[in-house]
Amino acid sequence: FSEPLPGHADMGEHGDVSDLRYEVMYFLEAPDDAIPAFKDVWAGIGDSIVVVGGDGIWNCHIHTDDIGASIEAAIEIGRPSKIRVTDLIEQVEEERWVREAATAPAEEAPAHLQTPVTCAVVAVASGAGIRRIFHSLGVQGIVTGGQSMNPSTAELLEAVEAAPADHVVILPNNKNIIPVAEQVDAHTAKTVLVVPTKGITEGFAALLAYDPEAEGPANAEEMTDAAANVVAGEVTQAVRDSSCDLGPIATGDWLGIGRDGIRAVESDLVAAATRLLAELVLPSHEIVTIIEGEGAGAAATRQLTEWLAEHRPAATAEVHHGGQPLYPYLFGIE
């Protein structure tokens, strides 16, 4: 057993996230005699360091700005597994959103939430507007979660058990939540299937193929196909200097991100959003769904729809207010 390093916080104390952005955790299989040198390397790249274990198995935790170095240190002496990286700055922002959502007045629940069906849907979402859209598309259960505030298997299980059906499809709407959702089926007598949606717009697209009177396997197949046909994009703001294939990224820059990575880096929100649309929307596309989040404004959205009308006239823009944190715009293109 190894105590936290002298001068460092223990695992429960995150300190000032403005200093070190990422929390990296993993299990490490490595010889016990290699651990002191490993901890020396970690002491040079971060704080809040905890390395506990023994007999070749170690549980490792660090706050750092250098994700790569924190993992490479483990690879040099052994085999890391179950690696988890949390963006602490985004986590603080989403925790604020969750606290505010918890104290907000409860919305009137749609009648269909308690109507028995053959197959129900549970979705993970943040933002009051997004929740309303999911409910309008037939979702019976919604679990709060997002980029860093990932719900637990127990929270998803609770929503599944409350759903008025023996078959339940889960829409994780985030790649980090997919493996958590896949654990639910083993803990319930219900039949639970996961449609591996990686974003909100994929979740919306999947629901267009949802049939509450069809059984779970048939729904999961159709909904997975529908989600796969959507081109997804998102716009967010850089909180630290960095770089990508397009060049340097400065703190405060707006990033347009597609499934294959960063497609736009601009100092202006509208410029980043239109550049992303130019990259993702083809002349053959027919629908562009724009979901406004925190930071979006009517004037900015109008510039996006006017750009689409001029440069992609075959596509119809559909605008929804989602209210999601961190991402002023989410795009779904079909």
Side-chain angles (χ1 to χ4, degrees), residues 135-197:
H135 279 319
S136 72
L137 292 173
V139 169
Q140 288 83 4
I142 295 179
V143 178
T144 299
Q147 186 67 23
S148 62
M149 292 291 292
N150 296 341
S152 66
T153 298
E155 290 171 309
L156 292 171
L157 177 62
E158 181 180 4
V160 165
E161 295 290 10
D166 292 330
H167 288 194
V168 181
V169 168
I170 298 178
L171 300 177
N173 300 322
N174 185 289
K175 62 182 172 62
N176 296 329
I177 302 173
I178 293 172
V180 178
E182 289 173 341
Q183 304 302 312
V184 175
D185 184 59
H187 299 281
T188 177
K190 295 186 177 184
T191 298
V192 179
L193 302 104
V194 178
V195 174
T197 50

Short mmCIF file of all heavy atoms in Angstrom, two decimals, residues 135-197:
data_model
loop_
_atom_site.label_atom_id
_atom_site.label_comp_id
_atom_site.label_asym_id
_atom_site.label_seq_id
_atom_site.Cartn_x
_atom_site.Cartn_y
_atom_site.Cartn_z
N HIS A 135 -38.81 14.18 -24.98
CA HIS A 135 -40.15 13.76 -24.57
C HIS A 135 -41.13 13.83 -25.75
O HIS A 135 -41.96 12.93 -25.93
CB HIS A 135 -40.65 14.65 -23.42
CG HIS A 135 -40.13 14.27 -22.08
ND1 HIS A 135 -40.00 12.95 -21.67
CD2 HIS A 135 -39.71 15.03 -21.02
CE1 HIS A 135 -39.53 12.92 -20.44
NE2 HIS A 135 -39.35 14.16 -20.03
N SER A 136 -41.02 14.88 -26.56
CA SER A 136 -41.94 15.03 -27.69
C SER A 136 -41.74 13.93 -28.74
O SER A 136 -42.66 13.62 -29.49
CB SER A 136 -41.77 16.41 -28.33
OG SER A 136 -40.55 16.49 -29.06
N LEU A 137 -40.54 13.35 -28.76
CA LEU A 137 -40.25 12.28 -29.71
C LEU A 137 -40.56 10.90 -29.13
O LEU A 137 -40.27 9.88 -29.77
CB LEU A 137 -38.79 12.34 -30.16
CG LEU A 137 -38.42 13.56 -31.02
CD1 LEU A 137 -36.91 13.61 -31.25
CD2 LEU A 137 -39.16 13.53 -32.34
N GLY A 138 -41.13 10.87 -27.93
CA GLY A 138 -41.60 9.60 -27.37
C GLY A 138 -40.78 9.00 -26.26
O GLY A 138 -41.11 7.93 -25.74
N VAL A 139 -39.70 9.66 -25.83
CA VAL A 139 -38.85 9.12 -24.77
C VAL A 139 -39.60 9.13 -23.43
O VAL A 139 -40.22 10.13 -23.05
CB VAL A 139 -37.55 9.95 -24.65
CG1 VAL A 139 -36.77 9.57 -23.39
CG2 VAL A 139 -36.70 9.73 -25.89
N GLN A 140 -39.53 8.00 -22.71
CA GLN A 140 -40.22 7.90 -21.43
C GLN A 140 -39.34 8.28 -20.24
O GLN A 140 -39.82 8.80 -19.24
CB GLN A 140 -40.73 6.46 -21.21
CG GLN A 140 -41.91 6.07 -22.08
CD GLN A 140 -41.47 5.62 -23.47
OE1 GLN A 140 -40.29 5.52 -23.78
NE2 GLN A 140 -42.44 5.33 -24.34
N GLY A 141 -38.04 8.02 -20.33
CA GLY A 141 -37.15 8.31 -19.21
C GLY A 141 -35.94 9.09 -19.64
O GLY A 141 -35.32 8.78 -20.66
N ILE A 142 -35.58 10.13 -18.88
CA ILE A 142 -34.40 10.93 -19.18
C ILE A 142 -33.51 10.99 -17.94
O ILE A 142 -33.96 11.26 -16.84
CB ILE A 142 -34.79 12.35 -19.62
CG1 ILE A 142 -35.57 12.30 -20.94
CG2 ILE A 142 -33.54 13.23 -19.78
CD1 ILE A 142 -36.01 13.63 -21.47
N VAL A 143 -32.23 10.72 -18.15
CA VAL A 143 -31.23 10.75 -17.09
C VAL A 143 -30.28 11.91 -17.39
O VAL A 143 -29.79 12.03 -18.51
CB VAL A 143 -30.45 9.43 -17.01
CG1 VAL A 143 -29.38 9.49 -15.93
CG2 VAL A 143 -31.40 8.26 -16.75
N THR A 144 -30.03 12.75 -16.40
CA THR A 144 -29.16 13.90 -16.61
C THR A 144 -27.71 13.44 -16.78
O THR A 144 -27.19 12.66 -15.99
CB THR A 144 -29.25 14.87 -15.43
OG1 THR A 144 -30.59 15.35 -15.32
CG2 THR A 144 -28.32 16.06 -15.62
N GLY A 145 -27.07 13.97 -17.82
CA GLY A 145 -25.68 13.63 -18.07
C GLY A 145 -25.16 14.37 -19.27
O GLY A 145 -25.92 14.96 -20.04
N GLY A 146 -23.83 14.36 -19.42
CA GLY A 146 -23.22 15.06 -20.54
C GLY A 146 -21.79 14.66 -20.73
O GLY A 146 -21.38 13.54 -20.40
N GLN A 147 -20.98 15.61 -21.25
CA GLN A 147 -19.62 15.30 -21.65
C GLN A 147 -18.77 14.79 -20.50
O GLN A 147 -18.00 13.85 -20.64
CB GLN A 147 -18.97 16.54 -22.27
CG GLN A 147 -17.60 16.31 -22.86
CD GLN A 147 -17.63 15.41 -24.07
OE1 GLN A 147 -18.64 15.27 -24.73
NE2 GLN A 147 -16.50 14.77 -24.35
N SER A 148 -18.88 15.42 -19.32
CA SER A 148 -18.08 14.97 -18.18
C SER A 148 -18.93 14.46 -17.03
O SER A 148 -18.46 13.71 -16.19
CB SER A 148 -17.17 16.10 -17.69
OG SER A 148 -17.93 17.21 -17.25
N MET A 149 -20.21 14.86 -16.98
CA MET A 149 -21.10 14.39 -15.92
C MET A 149 -21.79 13.11 -16.37
O MET A 149 -22.96 13.10 -16.74
CB MET A 149 -22.13 15.47 -15.58
CG MET A 149 -21.53 16.70 -14.92
SD MET A 149 -20.94 16.36 -13.26
CE MET A 149 -22.49 16.08 -12.42
N ASN A 150 -21.03 12.03 -16.40
CA ASN A 150 -21.58 10.77 -16.88
C ASN A 150 -22.41 10.10 -15.79
O ASN A 150 -21.94 9.92 -14.67
CB ASN A 150 -20.46 9.83 -17.31
CG ASN A 150 -19.66 10.37 -18.48
OD1 ASN A 150 -20.12 11.25 -19.18
ND2 ASN A 150 -18.47 9.86 -18.68
N PRO A 151 -23.65 9.68 -16.11
CA PRO A 151 -24.46 8.98 -15.11
C PRO A 151 -23.89 7.59 -14.83
O PRO A 151 -23.16 7.03 -15.65
CB PRO A 151 -25.84 8.89 -15.79
CG PRO A 151 -25.53 8.91 -17.25
CD PRO A 151 -24.35 9.81 -17.41
N SER A 152 -24.24 7.06 -13.69
CA SER A 152 -23.78 5.73 -13.31
C SER A 152 -24.73 4.67 -13.86
O SER A 152 -25.85 4.97 -14.28
CB SER A 152 -23.72 5.61 -11.79
OG SER A 152 -25.04 5.70 -11.24
N THR A 153 -24.28 3.43 -13.84
CA THR A 153 -25.14 2.32 -14.22
C THR A 153 -26.39 2.29 -13.34
O THR A 153 -27.49 2.01 -13.81
CB THR A 153 -24.38 0.99 -14.11
OG1 THR A 153 -23.26 1.01 -15.01
CG2 THR A 153 -25.27 -0.19 -14.46
N ALA A 154 -26.21 2.60 -12.04
CA ALA A 154 -27.35 2.57 -11.12
C ALA A 154 -28.40 3.61 -11.50
O ALA A 154 -29.61 3.34 -11.41
CB ALA A 154 -26.86 2.81 -9.69
N GLU A 155 -27.96 4.80 -11.94
CA GLU A 155 -28.92 5.84 -12.34
C GLU A 155 -29.68 5.43 -13.60
O GLU A 155 -30.88 5.64 -13.71
CB GLU A 155 -28.19 7.16 -12.56
CG GLU A 155 -27.66 7.78 -11.28
CD GLU A 155 -26.75 8.96 -11.54
OE1 GLU A 155 -25.81 8.82 -12.34
OE2 GLU A 155 -27.00 10.02 -10.95
N LEU A 156 -28.97 4.84 -14.54
CA LEU A 156 -29.63 4.36 -15.76
C LEU A 156 -30.58 3.22 -15.42
O LEU A 156 -31.69 3.14 -15.96
CB LEU A 156 -28.59 3.90 -16.78
CG LEU A 156 -27.72 5.00 -17.39
CD1 LEU A 156 -26.60 4.38 -18.22
CD2 LEU A 156 -28.56 5.93 -18.25
N LEU A 157 -30.16 2.33 -14.53
CA LEU A 157 -31.00 1.21 -14.12
C LEU A 157 -32.29 1.69 -13.48
O LEU A 157 -33.38 1.15 -13.75
CB LEU A 157 -30.23 0.30 -13.16
CG LEU A 157 -31.01 -0.88 -12.58
CD1 LEU A 157 -31.45 -1.83 -13.68
CD2 LEU A 157 -30.14 -1.62 -11.55
N GLU A 158 -32.20 2.72 -12.65
CA GLU A 158 -33.40 3.27 -12.01
C GLU A 158 -34.39 3.76 -13.05
O GLU A 158 -35.60 3.52 -12.94
CB GLU A 158 -33.00 4.40 -11.06
CG GLU A 158 -34.17 5.02 -10.31
CD GLU A 158 -33.74 6.14 -9.39
OE1 GLU A 158 -32.54 6.49 -9.38
OE2 GLU A 158 -34.61 6.70 -8.68
N ALA A 159 -33.89 4.44 -14.09
CA ALA A 159 -34.77 4.94 -15.14
C ALA A 159 -35.36 3.79 -15.95
O ALA A 159 -36.54 3.84 -16.35
CB ALA A 159 -34.00 5.89 -16.05
N VAL A 160 -34.58 2.75 -16.19
CA VAL A 160 -35.07 1.58 -16.92
C VAL A 160 -36.19 0.89 -16.14
O VAL A 160 -37.23 0.53 -16.70
CB VAL A 160 -33.91 0.60 -17.20
CG1 VAL A 160 -34.44 -0.77 -17.61
CG2 VAL A 160 -33.00 1.17 -18.28
N GLU A 161 -35.99 0.72 -14.85
CA GLU A 161 -37.00 0.05 -14.02
C GLU A 161 -38.29 0.87 -13.97
O GLU A 161 -39.39 0.31 -13.87
CB GLU A 161 -36.46 -0.19 -12.61
CG GLU A 161 -35.27 -1.14 -12.54
CD GLU A 161 -35.65 -2.59 -12.84
OE1 GLU A 161 -36.78 -2.86 -13.29
OE2 GLU A 161 -34.78 -3.47 -12.64
N ALA A 162 -38.18 2.20 -14.05
CA ALA A 162 -39.37 3.05 -13.99
C ALA A 162 -40.09 3.14 -15.32
O ALA A 162 -41.25 3.55 -15.37
CB ALA A 162 -38.97 4.45 -13.53
N ALA A 163 -39.44 2.75 -16.40
CA ALA A 163 -40.05 2.84 -17.73
C ALA A 163 -41.21 1.86 -17.86
O ALA A 163 -41.12 0.72 -17.39
CB ALA A 163 -39.01 2.57 -18.81
N PRO A 164 -42.31 2.27 -18.51
CA PRO A 164 -43.52 1.43 -18.57
C PRO A 164 -43.47 0.38 -19.68
O PRO A 164 -44.36 0.30 -20.53
CB PRO A 164 -44.62 2.47 -18.83
CG PRO A 164 -43.94 3.50 -19.68
CD PRO A 164 -42.53 3.59 -19.15
N ALA A 165 -42.41 -0.47 -19.66
CA ALA A 165 -42.26 -1.49 -20.69
C ALA A 165 -41.30 -2.57 -20.21
O ALA A 165 -40.44 -2.31 -19.36
CB ALA A 165 -41.75 -0.88 -22.00
N ASP A 166 -41.45 -3.76 -20.77
CA ASP A 166 -40.52 -4.86 -20.46
C ASP A 166 -39.27 -4.81 -21.33
O ASP A 166 -38.26 -5.41 -20.99
CB ASP A 166 -41.22 -6.21 -20.64
CG ASP A 166 -42.31 -6.44 -19.61
OD1 ASP A 166 -42.18 -5.92 -18.49
OD2 ASP A 166 -43.31 -7.13 -19.93
N HIS A 167 -39.37 -4.13 -22.48
CA HIS A 167 -38.21 -3.90 -23.34
C HIS A 167 -37.86 -2.41 -23.27
O HIS A 167 -38.74 -1.56 -23.38
CB HIS A 167 -38.49 -4.29 -24.79
CG HIS A 167 -38.58 -5.76 -25.01
ND1 HIS A 167 -38.55 -6.34 -26.26
CD2 HIS A 167 -38.70 -6.79 -24.13
CE1 HIS A 167 -38.66 -7.65 -26.15
NE2 HIS A 167 -38.76 -7.95 -24.87
N VAL A 168 -36.57 -2.09 -23.10
CA VAL A 168 -36.15 -0.69 -23.00
C VAL A 168 -34.89 -0.49 -23.85
O VAL A 168 -33.93 -1.26 -23.75
CB VAL A 168 -35.85 -0.29 -21.54
CG1 VAL A 168 -35.43 1.18 -21.48
CG2 VAL A 168 -37.06 -0.53 -20.65
N VAL A 169 -34.92 0.56 -24.67
CA VAL A 169 -33.75 0.98 -25.43
C VAL A 169 -33.13 2.18 -24.73
O VAL A 169 -33.83 3.12 -24.35
CB VAL A 169 -34.13 1.35 -26.88
CG1 VAL A 169 -32.97 2.05 -27.59
CG2 VAL A 169 -34.54 0.11 -27.65
N ILE A 170 -31.80 2.16 -24.55
CA ILE A 170 -31.09 3.29 -23.96
C ILE A 170 -30.34 4.04 -25.06
O ILE A 170 -29.65 3.44 -25.88
CB ILE A 170 -30.08 2.83 -22.88
CG1 ILE A 170 -30.81 2.13 -21.73
CG2 ILE A 170 -29.29 4.03 -22.34
CD1 ILE A 170 -29.87 1.62 -20.65
N LEU A 171 -30.48 5.38 -25.05
CA LEU A 171 -29.71 6.26 -25.93
C LEU A 171 -28.68 6.99 -25.06
O LEU A 171 -29.03 7.95 -24.37
CB LEU A 171 -30.63 7.27 -26.62
CG LEU A 171 -31.75 6.70 -27.50
CD1 LEU A 171 -32.61 7.83 -28.05
CD2 LEU A 171 -31.16 5.88 -28.64
N PRO A 172 -27.42 6.58 -25.08
CA PRO A 172 -26.41 7.22 -24.21
C PRO A 172 -26.07 8.65 -24.63
O PRO A 172 -25.74 9.49 -23.79
CB PRO A 172 -25.18 6.30 -24.36
CG PRO A 172 -25.70 5.05 -24.98
CD PRO A 172 -26.87 5.42 -25.81
N ASN A 173 -26.07 8.90 -25.94
CA ASN A 173 -25.80 10.24 -26.49
C ASN A 173 -24.43 10.79 -26.11
O ASN A 173 -24.23 12.00 -26.08
CB ASN A 173 -26.91 11.21 -26.08
CG ASN A 173 -28.26 10.76 -26.60
OD1 ASN A 173 -28.38 10.24 -27.69
ND2 ASN A 173 -29.30 10.93 -25.79
N ASN A 174 -23.50 9.90 -25.82
CA ASN A 174 -22.11 10.28 -25.51
C ASN A 174 -21.28 9.00 -25.54
O ASN A 174 -21.68 7.99 -24.95
CB ASN A 174 -22.03 10.94 -24.15
CG ASN A 174 -20.65 11.45 -23.82
OD1 ASN A 174 -19.73 10.66 -23.59
ND2 ASN A 174 -20.48 12.75 -23.80
N LYS A 175 -20.12 9.06 -26.20
CA LYS A 175 -19.33 7.84 -26.35
C LYS A 175 -18.85 7.29 -25.01
O LYS A 175 -18.68 6.07 -24.85
CB LYS A 175 -18.14 8.08 -27.28
CG LYS A 175 -17.12 9.10 -26.82
CD LYS A 175 -16.03 9.25 -27.87
CE LYS A 175 -15.08 10.39 -27.56
NZ LYS A 175 -14.33 10.32 -26.39
N ASN A 176 -18.64 8.17 -24.02
CA ASN A 176 -18.17 7.70 -22.72
C ASN A 176 -19.25 6.98 -21.92
O ASN A 176 -18.95 6.24 -20.98
CB ASN A 176 -17.66 8.89 -21.90
CG ASN A 176 -16.45 9.56 -22.52
OD1 ASN A 176 -15.66 8.90 -23.19
ND2 ASN A 176 -16.32 10.85 -22.33
N ILE A 177 -20.51 7.21 -22.27
CA ILE A 177 -21.62 6.62 -21.52
C ILE A 177 -22.04 5.27 -22.11
O ILE A 177 -22.68 4.46 -21.44
CB ILE A 177 -22.81 7.60 -21.47
CG1 ILE A 177 -22.36 8.93 -20.84
CG2 ILE A 177 -23.99 7.05 -20.68
CD1 ILE A 177 -23.41 10.02 -20.88
N ILE A 178 -21.64 4.99 -23.35
CA ILE A 178 -22.04 3.73 -23.99
C ILE A 178 -21.65 2.51 -23.16
O ILE A 178 -22.50 1.65 -22.88
CB ILE A 178 -21.46 3.65 -25.43
CG1 ILE A 178 -22.11 4.72 -26.32
CG2 ILE A 178 -21.70 2.26 -26.02
CD1 ILE A 178 -21.47 4.84 -27.69
N PRO A 179 -20.38 2.37 -22.72
CA PRO A 179 -20.04 1.17 -21.92
C PRO A 179 -20.77 1.10 -20.59
O PRO A 179 -21.03 0.00 -20.10
CB PRO A 179 -18.52 1.30 -21.74
CG PRO A 179 -18.21 2.73 -21.99
CD PRO A 179 -19.20 3.21 -22.99
N VAL A 180 -21.11 2.25 -20.01
CA VAL A 180 -21.88 2.26 -18.76
C VAL A 180 -23.29 1.73 -19.03
O VAL A 180 -23.81 0.90 -18.28
CB VAL A 180 -21.94 3.69 -18.18
CG1 VAL A 180 -22.79 3.71 -16.91
CG2 VAL A 180 -20.54 4.20 -17.89
N ALA A 181 -23.90 2.19 -20.12
CA ALA A 181 -25.25 1.75 -20.48
C ALA A 181 -25.29 0.26 -20.78
O ALA A 181 -26.28 -0.43 -20.48
CB ALA A 181 -25.76 2.55 -21.67
N GLU A 182 -24.22 -0.25 -21.34
CA GLU A 182 -24.19 -1.67 -21.71
C GLU A 182 -24.17 -2.60 -20.50
O GLU A 182 -24.39 -3.81 -20.64
CB GLU A 182 -23.00 -1.94 -22.63
CG GLU A 182 -23.16 -1.33 -24.02
CD GLU A 182 -21.92 -1.44 -24.88
OE1 GLU A 182 -20.81 -1.66 -24.31
OE2 GLU A 182 -22.03 -1.32 -26.11
N GLN A 183 -23.93 -2.07 -19.30
CA GLN A 183 -23.93 -2.89 -18.09
C GLN A 183 -25.32 -3.05 -17.50
O GLN A 183 -25.53 -3.92 -16.64
CB GLN A 183 -23.01 -2.24 -17.04
CG GLN A 183 -21.59 -2.01 -17.49
CD GLN A 183 -20.90 -3.28 -17.94
OE1 GLN A 183 -20.95 -4.29 -17.25
NE2 GLN A 183 -20.26 -3.23 -19.10
N VAL A 184 -26.28 -2.26 -17.94
CA VAL A 184 -27.59 -2.23 -17.29
C VAL A 184 -28.35 -3.54 -17.47
O VAL A 184 -28.99 -4.04 -16.54
CB VAL A 184 -28.44 -1.04 -17.83
CG1 VAL A 184 -29.85 -1.08 -17.25
CG2 VAL A 184 -27.75 0.27 -17.48
N ASP A 185 -28.28 -4.13 -18.65
CA ASP A 185 -29.08 -5.33 -18.94
C ASP A 185 -28.82 -6.45 -17.95
O ASP A 185 -29.73 -7.22 -17.62
CB ASP A 185 -28.79 -5.80 -20.37
CG ASP A 185 -29.66 -6.98 -20.76
OD1 ASP A 185 -30.90 -6.85 -20.73
OD2 ASP A 185 -29.10 -8.06 -21.09
N ALA A 186 -27.58 -6.55 -17.45
CA ALA A 186 -27.23 -7.64 -16.53
C ALA A 186 -27.85 -7.46 -15.15
O ALA A 186 -27.83 -8.39 -14.34
CB ALA A 186 -25.71 -7.74 -16.40
N HIS A 187 -28.44 -6.28 -14.87
CA HIS A 187 -28.94 -6.00 -13.53
C HIS A 187 -30.46 -5.88 -13.46
O HIS A 187 -30.99 -5.42 -12.45
CB HIS A 187 -28.31 -4.70 -13.01
CG HIS A 187 -26.81 -4.75 -12.91
ND1 HIS A 187 -26.15 -5.37 -11.86
CD2 HIS A 187 -25.84 -4.28 -13.74
CE1 HIS A 187 -24.84 -5.27 -12.04
NE2 HIS A 187 -24.63 -4.62 -13.17
N THR A 188 -31.14 -6.30 -14.50
CA THR A 188 -32.60 -6.18 -14.51
C THR A 188 -33.22 -7.36 -15.23
O THR A 188 -32.59 -7.98 -16.10
CB THR A 188 -33.03 -4.86 -15.20
OG1 THR A 188 -34.46 -4.81 -15.25
CG2 THR A 188 -32.47 -4.76 -16.60
N ALA A 189 -34.46 -7.66 -14.86
CA ALA A 189 -35.20 -8.72 -15.55
C ALA A 189 -35.73 -8.24 -16.90
O ALA A 189 -36.15 -9.04 -17.73
CB ALA A 189 -36.35 -9.20 -14.68
N LYS A 190 -35.71 -6.93 -17.12
CA LYS A 190 -36.17 -6.38 -18.40
C LYS A 190 -35.13 -6.65 -19.49
O LYS A 190 -33.95 -6.89 -19.21
CB LYS A 190 -36.43 -4.88 -18.28
CG LYS A 190 -37.58 -4.52 -17.35
CD LYS A 190 -37.88 -3.03 -17.40
CE LYS A 190 -39.09 -2.68 -16.54
NZ LYS A 190 -39.46 -1.25 -16.65
N THR A 191 -35.57 -6.60 -20.73
CA THR A 191 -34.66 -6.68 -21.87
C THR A 191 -34.19 -5.27 -22.20
O THR A 191 -34.99 -4.41 -22.56
CB THR A 191 -35.36 -7.30 -23.08
OG1 THR A 191 -35.77 -8.63 -22.76
CG2 THR A 191 -34.43 -7.33 -24.29
N VAL A 192 -32.89 -5.03 -22.05
CA VAL A 192 -32.32 -3.70 -22.27
C VAL A 192 -31.34 -3.75 -23.43
O VAL A 192 -30.44 -4.58 -23.47
CB VAL A 192 -31.62 -3.18 -21.01
CG1 VAL A 192 -31.02 -1.80 -21.25
CG2 VAL A 192 -32.59 -3.14 -19.83
N LEU A 193 -31.55 -2.84 -24.39
CA LEU A 193 -30.65 -2.75 -25.54
C LEU A 193 -30.11 -1.34 -25.64
O LEU A 193 -30.79 -0.37 -25.30
CB LEU A 193 -31.38 -3.14 -26.83
CG LEU A 193 -31.99 -4.55 -26.82
CD1 LEU A 193 -33.49 -4.45 -26.63
CD2 LEU A 193 -31.64 -5.31 -28.07
N VAL A 194 -28.88 -1.22 -26.12
CA VAL A 194 -28.23 0.08 -26.22
C VAL A 194 -28.03 0.44 -27.69
O VAL A 194 -27.42 -0.32 -28.44
CB VAL A 194 -26.86 0.08 -25.50
CG1 VAL A 194 -26.17 1.44 -25.66
CG2 VAL A 194 -27.05 -0.26 -24.03
N VAL A 195 -28.57 1.58 -28.08
CA VAL A 195 -28.27 2.14 -29.40
C VAL A 195 -27.09 3.10 -29.18
O VAL A 195 -27.22 4.08 -28.46
CB VAL A 195 -29.48 2.89 -29.97
CG1 VAL A 195 -29.11 3.61 -31.27
CG2 VAL A 195 -30.62 1.90 -30.23
N PRO A 196 -25.92 2.84 -29.76
CA PRO A 196 -24.70 3.56 -29.39
C PRO A 196 -24.60 4.98 -29.96
O PRO A 196 -23.68 5.32 -30.71
CB PRO A 196 -23.59 2.66 -29.95
CG PRO A 196 -24.22 2.01 -31.14
CD PRO A 196 -25.66 1.77 -30.75
N THR A 197 -25.54 5.83 -29.57
CA THR A 197 -25.51 7.22 -30.03
C THR A 197 -24.41 7.98 -29.30
O THR A 197 -24.27 7.88 -28.09
CB THR A 197 -26.87 7.90 -29.78
OG1 THR A 197 -27.27 7.65 -28.41
CG2 THR A 197 -27.93 7.32 -30.71
#
